[in-house]
Amino acid sequence: MVSTRSKATNHHSSPAQGAETGEKRSQPSPSSSTKNGRSPKKAKQENEQDVAEKKEFEVSVQGEPTTETQEEENNLGEEGVKDEIAAEDAKAKDEDRVESREDEVKREEKKESGEKDDDDEPRHGTLESGHIYFLYRPKVETDEAESLDDISKFHILLIPQSGKHSKGHYHRIIEVGKKKLPDPGAKHQVIWGLVGGVGEDKSTLKESFGAYTYETKTRGTRHQAAARPAARGHYILHSPRDELADSPDHNRQRDYKTLLAYEITTPTQEDFGQVQKELGIEEKGAVVLQVKDPNVESRGNPRAAGIPREKRAQYPQHLLDIFRNRRFIPSNPVSLLDYQGAELLIITSPHELHESLGKQGEKVEDDLDHDSAVEKVSMDDALKELGMSKSEFPEDALEGNWA
């Protein structure tokens, strides 16, 4: 019995017993396990077995495990729970990705088949919210812009974070005529727009806004510089309730007036400069959006000039029915903006923002303020969200300076 216990003590003595005999027991760390050629998982299993043997021996000798052994066992248990949680989180993320892809496929199938979606009816309230970017592109063979005269295109990029497009990286690229927003102080100014691109993959943004070269017969190789982000913020598409909406004689569709309201998060107020001023970007602003019937000929829209009928928005019949022989209607439902080639009117909203947003305007504006504060990001994060880098996309404009 004595000799047997001595052997056991040599192999399974607790840290407390080791201290009495001048011996110190050491546990292999995960890093040392990896260095010795064992995987972290294998090392963890050996640690668990080692602690279990220590506990069994201490119970047989003194009736209960030492405090230190009990703490080791608890720590291993906590690590196990963390591993289980991490595994569950990874599984949930995988399932979300699968569901997201399935949702995308279903949406595309509905879109192609012309099947009516639940969100394809006009309604009031906040229809959608998400991230908004304003970007401009210098003219061909112009590496740096110094004013509006040096830019070829101005874009609004919408990345929804709510509704049916809340998953993935769905986005709409709107090309803005006159290369700027309507003047904020104007009573009624109308600028043409065009949905120039719709996508579901962040990588396509780099293709849309990146630099490229092309060949011409008369001028040879031409270079188009990359777009420059000028501002980033939070947006909502909101349809205020009209007091006359219940009148049977009222123009029902026009009751669904839709505003694109936004609040800039990058740059900060202190960094607002000439770029934002000349592009008509406010720290907090709104414009009215209307959509043109694609079956009606365009008149004076430079962004739609020369676009053949087959390249215009191909709306399914249930969306075409909403026009009811009207040339323009509010962009409500927002699915009217989901079709490349859709022609738009971008119109000033001359009132204070809360007044433009209707009876609940103050609350809606408060919600916009809150969401914008939560979404404040650094300039580096803004570029990262677009799949861009400083080397490819100069960030000077986000500091108020032309680039």
Side-chain angles (χ1 to χ4, degrees):
M1 286 292 291
V2 175
S3 60
T4 304
R5 184 174 300 179
S6 298
K7 288 181 181 180
T9 304
N10 288 337
H11 291 284
H12 301 289
S13 60
S14 69
Q17 291 170 324
E20 292 176 0
T21 60
E23 297 174 356
K24 185 176 181 181
R25 182 181 183 85
S26 62
Q27 295 295 333
S29 65
S31 59
S32 64
S33 298
T34 304
K35 290 178 181 179
N36 291 332
R38 293 177 295 172
S39 67
K41 183 176 180 181
K42 179 69 174 177
K44 182 182 175 184
Q45 291 173 342
E46 292 179 359
N47 282 347
E48 289 175 345
Q49 182 179 359
D50 203 18
V51 171
E53 290 177 357
K54 283 171 59 182
K55 182 179 178 182
E56 180 182 357
F57 174 73
E58 289 167 0
V59 169
S60 67
V61 173
Q62 57 192 31
E64 61 180 359
T66 63
T67 302
E68 187 170 345
T69 301
Q70 191 64 55
E71 287 179 355
E72 286 185 57
E73 184 179 47
N74 292 339
N75 290 337
L76 288 172
E78 289 176 3
E79 290 176 8
V81 172
K82 289 178 182 178
D83 288 344
E84 289 180 13
I85 293 174
E88 287 297 320
D89 287 344
K91 181 180 178 182
K93 287 179 181 178
D94 289 339
E95 290 175 349
D96 285 343
R97 280 193 286 269
V98 172
E99 289 176 3
S100 177
R101 181 58 189 154
E102 289 175 349
D103 290 342
E104 290 174 9
V105 171
K106 288 177 182 178
R107 284 199 303 270
E108 286 303 311
E109 288 176 348
K110 280 187 176 183
K111 195 171 177 179
E112 291 174 3
S113 67
E115 184 180 347
K116 190 172 183 178
D117 195 275
D118 294 338
D119 295 326
D120 284 347
E121 288 287 348
R123 59 187 177 88
H124 293 107
T126 297
L127 313 174
E128 182 180 279
S129 63
H131 303 162
I132 185 170
Y133 283 85
F134 297 95
L135 306 99
Y136 68 88
R137 189 188 285 275
K139 289 181 177 179
V140 174
E141 298 299 327
T142 303
D143 290 330
E144 294 185 5
E146 296 180 358
S147 69
L148 284 182
D149 294 335
D150 295 326
I151 70 174
S152 62
K153 288 184 179 181
F154 177 49
H155 304 277
I156 299 173
L157 170 64
L158 301 180
I159 305 177
Q161 300 294 300
S162 70
K164 62 182 180 181
H165 298 312
S166 60
K167 294 181 179 179
H169 206 280
Y170 187 87
H171 59 268
R172 310 181 190 93
I173 301 173
I174 299 174
E175 299 177 9
V176 182
K178 294 190 177 181
K179 300 180 290 188
K180 64 186 293 295
L181 294 175
D183 295 330
K187 288 186 178 180
H188 185 76
Q189 186 179 9
V190 180
I191 291 179
W192 282 94
L194 178 75
V195 178
V198 177
E200 296 186 351
D201 187 349
K202 185 164 67 172
S203 65
T204 61
L205 289 177
K206 190 169 182 178
E207 297 175 8
S208 299
F209 296 123
Y212 61 89
T213 58
Y214 61 97
E215 299 293 328
T216 65
K217 291 182 179 179
T218 57
R219 297 188 179 184
T221 302
R222 306 286 283 170
H223 173 70
Q224 173 63 73
R228 276 69 162 141
R232 184 256 191 210
H234 182 78
Y235 81 90
I236 58 172
L237 288 168
H238 184 83
S239 179
R241 180 74 176 178
D242 193 312
E243 291 297 325
L244 298 175
D246 294 327
S247 170
D249 300 324
H250 200 52
N251 186 332
R252 299 288 294 179
Q253 182 54 34
R254 299 189 73 171
D255 291 340
Y256 293 99
K257 171 183 176 181
T258 303
L259 292 101
L260 169 60
Y262 64 87
E263 186 165 346
I264 300 303
T265 58
T266 309
T268 61
Q269 181 178 353
E270 293 75 16
D271 285 330
F272 256 60
Q274 195 65 23
V275 173
Q276 290 73 31
K277 181 179 179 181
E278 292 191 38
L279 293 174
I281 303 171
E282 300 181 272
E283 294 171 34
K284 186 191 296 184
V287 292
V288 176
L289 292 183
Q290 293 188 1
V291 184
K292 187 183 79 65
D293 184 341
N295 293 324
V296 177
E297 289 298 326
S298 299
R299 297 175 187 171
N301 183 356
R303 289 298 170 207
I307 297 179
R309 184 177 294 274
E310 62 270 17
K311 294 294 184 180
R312 300 176 193 170
Q314 301 297 308
Y315 291 133
Q317 191 58 47
H318 66 269
L319 288 181
L320 288 172
D321 290 342
I322 299 176
F323 287 90
R324 296 182 181 177
N325 298 318
R326 300 181 182 90
R327 184 176 173 82
F328 296 96
I329 61 172
S331 56
N332 191 345
V334 294
S335 51
L336 289 166
L337 301 174
D338 290 338
Y339 293 80
Q340 186 169 344
E343 295 179 64
L344 311 176
L345 291 183
I346 304 171
I347 308 169
T348 51
S349 180
H351 307 292
E352 293 293 328
L353 183 56
H354 70 274
E355 295 174 346
S356 300
L357 294 171
K359 289 184 66 176
Q360 301 296 319
E362 290 186 358
K363 181 183 183 305
V364 176
E365 186 174 359
D366 286 344
D367 291 342
L368 178 64
D369 291 341
H370 174 267
D371 292 340
S372 299
V374 170
E375 288 184 4
K376 285 188 181 297
V377 298
S378 67
M379 294 181 187
D380 288 347
D381 289 336
L383 290 174
K384 185 177 180 180
E385 185 177 28
L386 295 175
M388 300 177 175
S389 66
K390 289 182 181 180
S391 60
E392 297 171 295
F393 300 87
E395 64 177 8
D396 303 51
L398 288 174
E399 297 174 344
N401 304 313
W402 286 106

